[in-house]
């Protein structure tokens, strides 16, 4: 087995044109396939990040309502948010953007739902995919 040790990868034809072979014969863009930010957050009591990448400040807006700021902004508002909330006593907690402005280039504002109620969650996992600015 070979080992490749490098500090940076730069595309041969352009700096952002690195592709990797995926399953079968398909190739994928390395930059497009990376998660651009994620956070595991405690959403009860004093909210705090347990672990994160490119997500920083958190704000508690009251029961089940939170904002997470990105360390490096996204290029536009068309990026994707995914997540899950572990609500005590409930099998599934759902994360929903707080409004049509709940996602900007710099932050995610969302609510955690348990059935028909907004509720605090002991564990919130959130990720973003798209183009960084």
């Amino acid at each position: 087995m070979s080992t490749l040790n490098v500090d940076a990868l730069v595309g041969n034809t352009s700096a952002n044109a690195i592709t990797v072979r995926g399953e079968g014969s398909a190739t994928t863009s390395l930059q497009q396939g990376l998660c651009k930010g994620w956070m595991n957050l405690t959403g009860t009591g004093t909210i705090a990040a347990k672990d994160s990448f490119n997500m920083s400040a958190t704000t508690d807006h009251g029961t089940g309502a939170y904002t997470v700021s990105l360390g490096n902004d996204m290029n536009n508002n068309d990026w994707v948010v995914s997540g899950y909330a572990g609500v005590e006593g409930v099998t599934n907690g759902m994360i929903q953007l707080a409004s049509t402005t709940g996602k900007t280039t710099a932050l995610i504002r969302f609510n955690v739902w348990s059935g028909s109620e907004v509720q605090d969650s002991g564990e919130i996992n959130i990720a973003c995919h798209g183009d960084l600015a």
Side-chain angles (χ1 to χ4, degrees):
M1 174 180 253
S2 298
T3 301
L4 177 64
N5 294 312
V6 298
D7 290 326
L9 295 173
V10 178
N12 193 33
T13 55
S14 88
N16 296 324
I18 300 172
T19 58
V20 293
R21 185 171 178 171
E23 299 77 24
S25 62
T27 60
T28 188
S29 164
L30 183 63
Q31 294 84 354
Q32 290 292 308
L34 298 173
C35 179
K36 301 306 182 345
W38 55 265
M39 181 178 275
N40 180 316
L41 172 71
T42 299
T44 55
T46 302
I47 63 169
K50 296 177 188 176
D51 201 358
S52 66
F53 170 72
N54 194 33
M55 291 190 175
S56 55
T58 55
T59 305
D60 187 348
H61 299 285
T63 303
Y66 311 92
T67 295
V68 172
S69 298
L70 296 165
N72 294 300
D73 289 358
M74 301 302 282
N75 190 47
N76 56 45
N77 291 341
D78 298 329
W79 53 281
V80 175
V81 176
S82 59
Y84 170 81
V87 179
E88 189 166 329
V90 178
T91 304
N92 294 305
M94 181 180 77
I95 291 175
Q96 180 183 38
L97 293 178
S99 67
T100 55
T101 59
K103 179 182 70 166
T104 70
T105 58
L107 61 83
I108 310 159
R109 184 165 179 169
F110 60 94
N111 298 319
V112 173
W113 288 85
S114 171
S116 61
E117 295 181 1
V118 176
Q119 184 174 327
D120 283 344
S121 175
E123 182 169 329
I124 301 167
N125 299 289
I126 196 159
C128 61
H129 297 269
D131 296 327
L132 290 174

